[in-house]
C-alpha cells in the first residue's frame, strides 16, 4: 500500500529532521531537502502528494518560485511554512497558488492536519491490505468483487488510519486527535469498533489487529 508522499523543503536542518521523523512516524513517506536546488526534477521524479515549502530558503524565496512549480505540477498542493506573520506575505503566498500558510513555530499535529486535509483525494483511492480492498469513497470492504462489509463512516476512517500505519502502533491519543478531532474517545466505544474490524478482517489469517494494552492498536500482516 502506497503512503502519502510529502516533499518538505526547509533550510532549518534541526526543524527539518524533527518534522521528517515525526511525519514518518505518522505514516507518511517524506523527502526532505534544505534548498531549492533541482526542485523541479525532484518534483517530477518523486511525484509528491503535497509540497511543504518554507518561505525563506537561504537567499531564495519559496513564494517566488511557486508559479514555476505550478506549471510543471498544477495538481500538487503547496503548503507554506514561515516565521513571517505579516498579512501581506500570507496573501502573497496564497495568491501564488499556496493552499495554506502555516506560521512557525507549529505543532506537528497542526501540520499533519493540514497535510491530511489537502491530500484527501489520496485517501479516496482504494487501499489494499492482504486479500481485502478498502474502497474509501463508498466505505466498502471488498474481497475481489465481493462486498465483505459496508462499513460505517467511523469504521472506514479507523481502518484507513490503521492501514496507513501498517505494522506500527496507533495510539489512542492519535485516534482521538484524528478521528474524534481532539475530543475524548469513549474507551468502550473504541473497543467495540476495534472488535468489529477484527471480525471483518478475520477471513484473512495473515492479518492481525492487535491491542496494545493502555497504548493503542497495531494492524500487522504475517
Amino acid at each position: 500500500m502506497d503512503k502519502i508522499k510529502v516533499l518538505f523543503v526547509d533550510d532549518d536542518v534541526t526543524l527539518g529532521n524533527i518534522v521528517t521523523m515525526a511525519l514518518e512516524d505518522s505514516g507518511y513517506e517524506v523527502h526532505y531537502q534544505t534548498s531549492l536546488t533541482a526542485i523541479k526534477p525532484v518534483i517530477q521524479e518523486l511525484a509528491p502528494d503535497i509540497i511543504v515549502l518554507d518561505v525563506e530558503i537561504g537567499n531564495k524565496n519559496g513564494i517566488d518560485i511557486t508559479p514555476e512549480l505550478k506549471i510543471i505540477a498544477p495538481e500538487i498542493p503547496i503548503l507554506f511554512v514561515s516565521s513571517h506573520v505579516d498579512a501581506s506575505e500570507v496573501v502573497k503566498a496564497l495568491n501564488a497558488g499556496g493552499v495554506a500558510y502555516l506560521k512557525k513555530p507549529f505543532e506537528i499535529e497542526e501540520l499533519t492536519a493540514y497535510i491530511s486535509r489537502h491530500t484527501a483525494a489520496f485517501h479516496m483511492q482504494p487501499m489494499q491490505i492482504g486479500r481485502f480492498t478498502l474502497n474509501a469513497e463508498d466505505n466498502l470492504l471488498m474481497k475481489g468483487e465481493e462486498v465483505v462489509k459496508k462499513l460505517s463512516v467511523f469504521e472506514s476512517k479507523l481502518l484507513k488510519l490503521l492501514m496507513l500505519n501498517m505494522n506500527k502502533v496507533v495510539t489512542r491519543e492519535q485516534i482521538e486527535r484524528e478521528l474524534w478531532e481532539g475530543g475524548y474517545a469513549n474507551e468502550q466505544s473504541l473497543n467495540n469498533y476495534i472488535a468489529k474490524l477484527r471480525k471483518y478482517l478475520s477471513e484473512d489469517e495473515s492479518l492481525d489487529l492487535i491491542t496494545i494494552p493502555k497504548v493503542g492498536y497495531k494492524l500487522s500482516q504475517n
Side-chain angles (χ1 to χ4, degrees):
M1 181 180 58
D2 293 335
K3 296 181 178 181
I4 292 175
K5 290 187 286 187
V6 179
L7 172 58
F8 181 39
V9 187
D10 194 306
D11 61 358
D12 183 337
V13 177
T14 300
L15 174 66
N17 289 334
I18 291 172
V19 170
T20 297
M21 290 178 62
L23 290 179
E24 289 177 343
D25 286 344
S26 296
Y28 297 99
E29 178 183 332
V30 184
H31 176 91
Y32 170 58
Q33 62 182 64
T34 59
S35 74
L36 292 170
T37 302
I39 187 70
K40 293 179 184 178
V42 167
I43 291 173
Q44 291 173 321
E45 181 177 348
L46 183 65
D49 297 289
I50 190 168
I51 301 169
V52 180
L53 185 58
D54 190 17
V55 171
E56 284 193 354
I57 307 173
N59 59 357
K60 296 186 178 181
N61 188 298
I63 298 175
D64 293 340
I65 198 175
T66 297
E68 297 178 40
L69 303 184
K70 282 297 181 181
I71 291 174
I72 64 168
E75 76 288 353
I76 301 176
I78 297 177
L79 168 61
F80 287 104
V81 293
S82 177
S83 56
H84 294 282
V85 296
D86 186 77
S88 63
E89 194 80 354
V90 177
V91 171
K92 182 181 177 184
L94 298 179
N95 286 341
V99 294
Y101 190 103
L102 184 57
K103 298 173 184 178
K104 297 178 181 178
F106 53 79
E107 298 292 333
I108 292 298
E109 290 83 358
E110 189 179 5
L111 176 61
T112 56
Y114 274 106
I115 292 174
S116 178
R117 177 186 303 171
H118 294 290
T119 56
F122 176 92
H123 292 279
M124 291 296 125
Q125 297 174 3
M127 302 170 69
Q128 189 72 36
I129 179 172
R131 296 160 59 190
F132 299 106
T133 300
L134 175 62
N135 185 329
E137 186 172 5
D138 298 319
N139 299 321
L140 295 177
L141 185 63
M142 310 284 295
K143 188 170 65 176
E145 298 298 319
E146 173 192 355
V147 177
V148 176
K149 185 68 179 181
K150 168 70 172 178
L151 302 176
S152 69
V153 172
F154 189 88
E155 288 171 343
S156 182
K157 288 182 177 180
L158 179 56
L159 182 55
K160 281 188 287 187
L161 181 60
L162 293 165
M163 291 170 71
L164 286 170
N165 292 275
M166 192 71 180
N167 297 313
K168 295 182 180 180
V169 176
V170 178
T171 66
R172 285 181 171 271
E173 290 78 10
Q174 186 177 354
I175 293 172
E176 289 178 3
R177 183 175 65 248
E178 298 191 26
L179 302 189
W180 266 274
E181 298 182 351
Y184 176 72
N186 178 275
E187 183 174 357
Q188 186 57 51
S189 177
L190 181 54
N191 288 340
N192 289 340
Y193 281 119
I194 290 293
K196 289 180 180 180
L197 292 182
R198 188 176 285 127
K199 179 181 178 181
Y200 305 152
L201 299 174
S202 64
E203 294 186 32
D204 187 339
E205 295 181 356
S206 72
L207 300 175
D208 196 6
L209 180 49
I210 306 165
T211 298
I212 312 297
K214 299 182 180 180
V215 178
Y217 309 93
K218 180 171 71 171
L219 181 59
S220 61
Q221 185 171 16
N222 301 325

